[in-house]
């Protein structure tokens, strides 16, 4: 059993690797497995993994549904000009 498995690749996250810890679930992810850029990584901002972020939304949309719609160019939200 791995002590700190990566949320994405499930390999061990080691102390000498650039990694992020989700402030909600407290699980780790390699920087290279995340979609986080170095500016964010080097900042004082908190990281929230996609699973936790989606669970905080006020509606129930799966991550797979969002990925599929983003890949196809569809949008989950429509904006209206006022």
């Amino acid at each position: 059993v791995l002590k700190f498995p990566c949320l994405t690749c499930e390999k061990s996250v080691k102390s000498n690797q650039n990694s992020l810890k989700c402030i909600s679930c407290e699980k780790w992810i390699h920087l290279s497995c995340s979609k986080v850029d170095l500016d964010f990584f080097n900042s004082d901002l908190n990281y929230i993994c996609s699973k936790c972020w989606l669970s905080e939304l006020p509606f129930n949309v799966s991550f797979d549904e969002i990925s599929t719609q983003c890949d196809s160019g569809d949008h989950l939200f429509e904006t209206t000009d006022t």
Side-chain angles (χ1 to χ4, degrees):
V1 176
L2 297 174
K3 189 171 182 179
F4 300 109
C6 175
L7 285 167
T8 301
C9 72
E10 298 180 359
K11 294 179 182 176
S12 181
V13 176
K14 299 175 183 166
S15 61
N16 65 342
Q17 296 173 311
N18 288 338
S19 56
L20 300 159
K21 183 179 179 183
C22 175
I23 62 167
S24 183
C25 67
E26 298 188 352
K27 294 186 179 177
W28 290 87
I29 186 169
H30 297 111
L31 180 62
S32 59
C33 292
S34 73
K35 295 184 179 184
V36 173
D37 62 25
L38 281 176
D39 289 335
F40 180 90
F41 178 75
N42 291 321
S43 73
D44 291 333
L45 298 173
N46 291 320
Y47 174 74
I48 300 175
C49 71
S50 57
K51 184 176 181 180
C52 291
W53 180 76
L54 288 172
S55 71
E56 297 294 323
L57 294 175
F59 50 86
N60 188 11
V61 177
S62 74
F63 185 69
D64 291 335
E65 183 179 350
I66 290 174
S67 294
T68 301
Q69 290 184 359
C70 289
D71 291 343
S72 69
D74 294 340
H75 301 283
L76 288 176
F77 310 105
E78 293 182 16
T79 57
T80 55
D81 295 328
T82 55

